[in-house]
Structures are given as C-alpha cells and as structure tokens.
Amino acid sequence: MQVSKKILQVLNGQKIWPPPIWLMRQAGRFLPEFRELRQQADFLTRCLTPDLAVEITLQPIRRFGFDAAILFSDILILPWAMGQNLEFIEGKGPVLPPIRNEEGLKQLTPENIQQKIEPVLTSVRILNKLINSEQSIGLAKAKSVSLIGFAGSPFTVACYMVEGGSSRDFSNVFKMIYQNPALFQKIIDLLVTTTADYLCQQIEAGAEVIMLFDSWAGILSPNLFRQFVLLPTQEIVRRIREQFHDFPIIGFPRLAGTKIFSYAKETNLNVIGLDQTEDISVIDSSIDNNIGFQGNLDPFYLLNGGNYMAQNAASICQKLRHRPHIFNLGHGVLPTTPVEHVYELVEHVRNLKD
Ligand code: 1CP
C-alpha cells in the first residue's frame, strides 16, 4: 500500500497539515469538459463505458490536482445490475420501476450482478494503473492520488428502489417500513450482501479507499436508524475487512444530526463524512479523536466564492487540526458553481499557514 498518499495517511489515523482535499461530485456539470462529454452519451452509457468513465473521473484531477479520484459511477448502478430498470431523466433525476411488494422483489436478478458490473470494474482497474504510474496527471503529482470506490448504503439505495426515484417525503418507504416491515428488511438484507460483494470486487480491481454514501440516513428516527443504517453499515464493514484486513472506509450518514455519535462509535469506520448541518464545535469533543472527519463546508459557500468561503474553509481546518481530516464539502458541488471558485478553494486550503 502506497502510504505516501495523503488521503491514505489520514485514513491510517495521521494528522496532516494542511489537510488533503477532494470534493463530492468533483466530476460533474460544473466542469465544461464534463458538459461536453455529456452531449455524447447518456448517463448510464457514461458510467458503463470504461473509456468515458475513466476520462470523466480524471477531468477534475487534471484541473485541480485533487488528492483523491472518485470512480465516476452512481449508487444506482447496483439496483440496475440487479435487474431494476434505470433511467436518468433531465430535470427529474433517476427513475426506476418502484418495488412495492414481494412480487417486485422477486423480479430482481442478483445472480446477474457480476456480469453487469464488469465494465465498472474495468474502469477501476484502468484508473488504478494510471494513478499509480510514474506520470503526473495534470496538476496532480505522480502517485499522489488515492482512488475511491463507492456504493450507496443499503437504506439510501432502498429508498430509490422503493420510491422509484427521488422523493420529497419518502412516504412509500415509511409505508413499507410500518405495513410490511419483513419485506423492507428483506430488501435491506439483500442490499447488505450485494453491496459488500460489489465493494469487495471494487477493492480487488484496485480501489484504494471505499466510501459508503448514506444520503438519506438522517430521515430515520433513532430506532430505525439503528436497524437500517447502523447494523447494515456495521455488517458491510465487517464483510469487507474479513476479506481485506483493516481496509480504509469512509461513511457519510448525511443529515444524521446527533445520531452521528452512535454512527461514529459503532460502525468501525476510519473517517466519517459530515454534511454542512453538523456543528463541528458540538460534535468534536464527543467523538473519539482517532476517527477522522471529512467534509462540512456548505456547497453554497463554494458557489459564492470569495472571503466568506475562504474563512469558513480555514475555520473547519483549524477546528479539525487535532484529528485526522480530509477537506471536502458537506454535499456535492452544485452544478452552477464557477470553476474559478474551485481553484480558489484548493489554493486556499493548500496554502493554509500555521
Ligand atoms: O449528468 C448529470 O448531470 C448527472 C448528475 C449525476 C452525477 C455527476 C448523477 C445523477 N450522478 C452522478 C455521479 C455520482 N453520483 C458520483 C460520482 C462521482 C463524483 O462524486 O464526482 C457519486 C459518488 C454519486 C453518488 C450518488 N448518486 C448519491 C450519493 C451522494 C449524494 O449526492 O447524496 C445519490 C443520492 C445519487 C443518486 C442520483 N444520481 C444522480 C441524481 C440526479 C441522483 C438523485 C439525487 C437526489 O435524489 O436528489
């Protein structure tokens, strides 16, 4: 393992000043070169064509020299690989035929996952080779970039599978949880197994870090959070580390609020992602100092740029100096973010003085 990479060092428990940096949705619509490729192929084709996925993954690395490259894919590739049809519709987001009963669940074909995710694994293999070669990638120095593989956490992926897409209130998810809890649990159990397998395959193909995105973790009451977020996350972490001892894993329980305490304590993750609503000053003293933090800068500060962004970024870094820290946003880069602001942010974080 290349312990010279800063992100891997942080995941190993080290404190680095200034902290390494990457951004959620760093490969996305705010980049002109991404928008250009977007004209050529639809979203699924971009995810499933290794040449395109590799190119899109590397675009932000070339420009900004980030410390991590995150595989260009989506959390909904897993349900797609299980046979649930998936479309991304402009202005609407992902659309899937919703699973609302046993029949819907029975139609899934998890036995076909292996074959369907092959192009994604090919992308990971190519990316691992490129980032570990002797050649620099644009602004990034040779062998400085860590490759992040990822999946959605079972609860968040289940939300999309049951709703059939994004939702304002997740009423169908809660209806199933209360009216047919056995069915919802079956979906979660299936996702625990398939997600752990999928992540192990990404690691085998060359992912150096794993991140679990739990974008909707925060909508659950504490008891349901335990059942559908904590226990499944624990189990996925256990399964990964059973095969890959001590493997570095980041978890992102978005909007978890104070439930972040049990998440940090019980999931055995190396680094916890913080959305912008978490108050570092409040949570810092109650979470073990060996656990690293990532994130927290409001994506709207980046959208607006300037002093306000710079001050808030510096304040996060100062508050987290005493623990392992990876600089990031509290959620993804907003599509209308000016590219110049991203340069400013990276420059600012990299030049932080004592
Ligand atoms: O062409 C486009 O504009 C598509 C926009 C887009 C992109 C760039 C989508 C559609 N997915 C992605 C890539 C993506 N998605 C990555 C790749 C790497 C990177 O970060 O640069 C990752 C890690 C994801 C993860 C993802 N997809 C999450 C978890 C993180 C989050 O944003 O909360 C979720 C919830 C999705 C579902 C999804 N994918 C895309 C949309 C529009 C949505 C729905 C979002 C919603 O419900 O609000």
Side-chain angles (χ1 to χ4, degrees):
M1 184 75 64
Q2 295 84 344
V3 278
S4 60
K5 297 185 181 189
K6 288 181 184 165
I7 297 254
L8 296 182
Q9 289 172 343
V10 173
L11 278 146
N12 208 15
Q14 294 183 42
K15 298 164 208 122
I16 296 183
W17 184 263
I21 175 170
W22 72 279
L23 304 179
M24 290 187 275
R25 288 280 162 98
Q26 63 191 20
R29 267 187 291 171
F30 81 103
L31 281 181
E33 58 270 36
F34 175 86
R35 290 197 297 271
E36 201 179 307
L37 264 183
R38 211 165 165 255
Q39 313 286 332
Q40 296 173 25
D42 65 29
F43 186 80
L44 264 181
T45 308
R46 276 178 262 143
C47 291
L48 297 169
T49 309
D51 282 354
L52 292 177
V54 167
E55 170 57 25
I56 296 171
T57 302
L58 295 178
Q59 283 176 344
I61 307 303
R62 285 196 200 102
R63 250 188 203 269
F64 307 111
F66 287 125
D67 293 289
I70 182 159
L71 168 70
F72 183 77
S73 179
D74 197 87
I75 62 167
L76 300 176
I77 287 293
L78 186 61
W80 170 82
M82 285 196 270
Q84 196 173 9
N85 191 50
L86 172 64
E87 275 181 277
F88 282 88
I89 295 176
E90 190 69 44
K92 191 162 179 210
V95 177
L96 312 93
I99 294 177
R100 300 278 166 80
N101 49 36
E102 289 279 350
E103 287 316 301
L105 181 59
K106 277 198 196 117
Q107 280 175 24
L108 294 179
T109 48
E111 64 278 10
N112 294 342
I113 293 177
Q114 186 56 45
Q115 170 214 338
K116 295 186 87 170
I117 61 166
E118 198 43 50
V120 177
L121 301 179
T122 302
S123 303
V124 177
R125 284 183 203 107
I126 299 172
L127 283 165
N128 180 288
K129 242 191 206 150
L130 286 173
I131 63 161
N132 289 310
S133 74
E134 299 298 331
Q135 282 203 338
S136 304
I137 301 167
L139 278 190
K141 293 195 190 87
K143 299 188 179 178
S144 67
V145 180
S146 304
L147 180 59
I148 305 179
F150 73 92
S153 289
F155 177 68
T156 288
V157 175
C159 282
Y160 289 94
M161 292 173 78
V162 171
E163 292 293 340
S166 300
S167 170
R168 189 167 296 179
D169 56 9
F170 298 94
S171 57
N172 294 294
V173 170
F174 286 105
K175 197 166 155 191
M176 189 184 289
I177 289 174
Y178 292 117
Q179 295 184 357
N180 194 350
L183 177 60
F184 194 72
Q185 188 65 54
K186 258 194 212 170
I187 297 175
I188 294 289
D189 291 346
L190 174 66
L191 284 168
V192 167
T193 309
T194 52
T195 304
D197 284 353
Y198 177 43
L199 291 172
C200 285
Q201 305 234 32
Q202 290 187 37
I203 296 169
E204 206 135 279
E208 298 171 321
V209 178
I210 285 299
M211 178 154 167
L212 271 170
F213 286 89
D214 217 338
S215 305
W216 301 113
I219 68 174
L220 292 170
S221 61
N223 285 342
L224 294 178
F225 184 84
R226 171 160 301 279
Q227 188 176 352
F228 298 129
V229 172
L230 279 187
L231 298 180
T233 303
Q234 253 173 20
E235 180 60 15
I236 289 172
V237 170
R238 193 190 66 74
R239 287 182 188 217
I240 291 174
R241 297 221 179 107
E242 198 172 57
Q243 274 196 54
F244 303 95
H245 191 60
D246 283 344
F247 199 85
I249 311 176
I250 306 171
F252 179 43
R254 197 170 72 93
L255 301 175
T258 52
K259 298 187 290 281
I260 197 113
F261 297 128
S262 56
Y263 188 87
K265 205 167 179 178
E266 297 177 40
T267 52
N268 287 318
L269 293 155
N270 306 75
V271 166
I272 309 288
L274 309 178
D275 67 77
Q276 63 270 26
T277 68
E278 291 288 359
D279 185 339
I280 292 177
S281 314
V282 174
I283 65 171
D284 184 38
S285 56
S286 307
I287 292 180
D288 191 309
N289 276 335
N290 295 323
I291 297 175
F293 285 172
Q294 167 180 279
N296 198 235
L297 185 77
D298 192 329
F300 281 101
Y301 284 139
L302 180 59
L303 180 72
N304 287 300
N307 278 343
Y308 221 40
M309 168 182 84
Q311 281 163 17
N312 279 280
S315 155
I316 290 171
C317 294
Q318 288 294 354
K319 284 181 192 158
L320 293 178
R321 271 189 92 155
H322 66 285
R323 68 162 75 229
H325 173 214
I326 299 169
F327 191 89
N328 206 320
L329 303 176
H331 203 193
V333 179
L334 296 161
T336 50
T337 302
V339 169
E340 295 71 36
H341 295 179
V342 180
Y343 283 114
E344 269 174 47
L345 178 66
V346 174
E347 176 86 5
H348 183 66
V349 170
R350 293 235 160 108
N351 289 315
L352 282 172
K353 297 280 178 302
D354 283 339

